[in-house]
Amino acid sequence: MNKLLSSGLINENTPFQILADPALKNTGVNVLVKREDLNNQFLSGNKWHKLKYNLLEAKEKGFDKLLTFGGAFSNHIYAVSAAGRLFGFKTIGVIRGEEHLPLNATLNFAKSRGMKLHYIDRKTYRQKYDNELLKSFHKMFGKFYLIPEGGTNKLAVQGVAEFVSKFDVDYDFLCCPCGTGGTLAGLIKGTSKEKQVLGFSVLKGGDFLSKNVEELIYTDKTMHYPNWIINLDYHFGGYAKINSQLVHFIKKFEEKNHIPVEPIYSGKMFYGIYDLILKGFFPVGSTILAFHTGGLQGIEGMREKIKKNIVCTIN
Ligand SMILES: *Cc1c(COP(=O)(O)O)cnc(C)c1O
C-alpha cells in the first residue's frame, strides 16, 4: 500500500522559489512560490495531492478501476489518466459533450494512458451522480471507484492539508487559484490559523465557491476558520477566458522569474497577487507563499486561443 506513497514517482521535495522580479522591488513584500508544477510531469501540482488518498482508498478496497467526470479540457481527466498508468488502475473518463475528432491534446493524452473515454450529452452530464446513470455505468464498465468531477472530496482536502502542514518556511499569506475550491479547503485546514489564506476564483460568478469550501472545511461544528477569503476580481471574464493583458503579464512573469505558468489557473492567481501587492493590499514586511498548482499541459490547448485572442485584441 505505502508503495504508492513512497514510489519515488512523485518529487516530494519541490523548491520554494523566491521571486526576484524587479516589478516587486521596493514594494516591501516578499513572494515565495511552492513549485508543485515540478512534482511530476503528468500528475502535476495540486492534482497529485487531491488524488493521493483517493488512490490509496481505491487500492485498499480492492478496486482496479477508476471512473471520473470532466470537460474535454479538464486537467483532472488528464491527471486521473496519468495516475491510472502510474499506479496500475484502469481508468474511465466520462466526458461532457460530444466527441470531436481529432482529439484535443488533453483527451489525446488521456487516451494514450489507456483511459476509456465515454461521452455524455450536457443535459445528462448535469445529472451525473444520479443513481440510475451510475447504475448504467456499472453495467457498462463493471465495478469502479468513483472520483467526483474536479477530484474534490474529503480525501482530496486531506491530501492537500497534510502536504501544506509540512511546509517548513515562514509566510503570512498562502495563495492558490480556485476551480472547485477543494485545494483552497486543503490549504485552510493544513496551515495554522495565524496565516491568512487567499483563494483566487478563476470562474466568473465564483460566489458559490465559499459555500463549497465551507462544506469541506467544517467537518465538525466546533471548528472555526476565520482566516480565509476568496478574491473574485481576477477571473478575466470566466473559466479559460483570457485577454491580452493577462497574456502580456504571463509573458513578462515567465521572463523575469523563469517559472512557467498557464493562463487558466496560475496565470490569473499571479496576476492577482501582483496587482494586490501594487495596490498595497499586503502589509509591508509580509511574505506571500503562492502554491503553484501545475497544470502546464493546459498551455498546449490554450495556444490557439491565445493566438486568436491577440489577433482579436489588435483588431
Ligand atoms: C484543477 C486545478 C486547479 C483547481 O483546483 P480546485 O481544487 O478545483 O480549486 C487549480 N490549478 C490547476 C493548475 C488545476 O489543474
Side-chain angles (χ1 to χ4, degrees), residues 231-242:
N231 182 297
L232 303 176
D233 297 336
Y234 300 100
H235 58 71
F236 288 86
Y239 183 73
K241 295 266 174 24
I242 57 171

Side-chain angles (χ1 to χ4, degrees), residues 39-293:
N39 61 0
N40 181 274
Q41 188 184 359
F42 300 125
L43 184 44
S44 88
N46 62 341
K47 295 298 185 280
W48 157 244
H49 299 285
K50 290 177 76 173
L51 283 172
K52 178 170 146 182
Y53 283 107
N54 282 286
L55 299 172
L56 271 173
E57 185 176 84
K59 277 257 193 267
E60 246 161 35
K61 294 191 169 164
F63 290 93
D64 66 352
K65 203 178 281 173
L66 312 170
L67 181 141
T68 195
F69 301 90
F73 293 93
S74 162
N75 286 347
H76 169 67
I77 288 288
Y78 188 101
V80 170
S81 74
R85 177 58 65 85
L86 285 171
F87 299 111
F89 293 97
K90 296 188 186 99
T91 53
I92 298 148
V94 178
I95 310 298
R96 182 181 60 229
E98 289 163 22
E99 180 179 40
H100 292 285
L101 295 173
L103 293 177
N104 70 35
T106 301
L107 296 184
N108 197 38
F109 172 85
K111 201 171 166 210
S112 78
R113 301 291 115 166
M115 180 177 260
K116 190 176 175 63
L117 302 175
H118 179 76
Y119 297 84
I120 57 176
D121 65 70
R122 282 160 193 275
K123 191 162 159 254
T124 314
Y125 192 86
R126 267 180 244 126
Q127 292 139 24
K128 56 188 161 301
Y129 303 124
D130 195 272
N131 261 334
E132 286 306 308
L133 188 67
L134 291 181
K135 253 193 227 160
S136 76
F137 288 156
H138 275 116
K139 245 191 205 146
M140 248 184 280
F141 305 120
K143 199 175 137 197
F144 57 75
Y145 181 86
L146 182 83
I147 301 175
E149 179 182 45
T152 290
N153 57 14
K154 294 262 153 71
L155 293 174
V157 174
Q158 182 191 340
V160 174
E162 185 188 85
F163 171 62
V164 169
S165 70
K166 290 185 194 146
F167 287 178
D168 57 351
V169 292
D170 278 331
Y171 60 92
D172 307 291
F173 292 88
L174 183 55
C175 299
C176 76
C178 297
T180 64
T183 304
L184 180 68
L187 299 190
I188 296 165
K189 283 195 93 86
T191 192
S192 67
K193 295 210 174 92
E194 300 85 65
K195 323 276 192 204
Q196 300 292 316
V197 186
L198 180 54
F200 290 89
S201 171
V202 304
L203 315 166
K204 192 170 158 180
D207 319 58
F208 74 93
L209 284 169
S210 292
K211 209 170 140 274
N212 274 12
V213 171
E214 278 165 16
E215 275 169 21
L216 290 163
I217 59 178
Y218 291 121
T219 42
D220 85 59
K221 294 228 159 59
T222 63
M223 291 172 173
H224 183 54
Y225 299 101
N227 55 329
W228 61 281
I229 48 167
I230 300 179
N231 182 297
L232 303 176
D233 297 336
Y234 300 100
H235 58 71
F236 288 86
Y239 183 73
K241 295 266 174 24
I242 57 171
N243 66 18
S244 55
Q245 229 175 330
L246 179 63
V247 173
H248 181 71
F249 170 82
I250 289 173
K251 211 170 143 234
K252 276 208 332 216
F253 180 92
E254 291 183 330
E255 259 169 41
K256 299 292 178 204
N257 300 307
H258 308 288
I259 299 175
V261 295
E262 44 71 45
I264 300 176
Y265 294 103
S266 49
K268 291 181 182 179
M269 169 184 71
F270 282 115
Y271 189 104
I273 290 174
Y274 271 53
D275 198 47
L276 289 177
I277 289 174
L278 297 175
K279 285 178 173 158
F281 174 85
F282 300 102
V284 168
S286 46
T287 297
I288 301 159
L289 175 55
F291 184 1
H292 193 320
T293 46

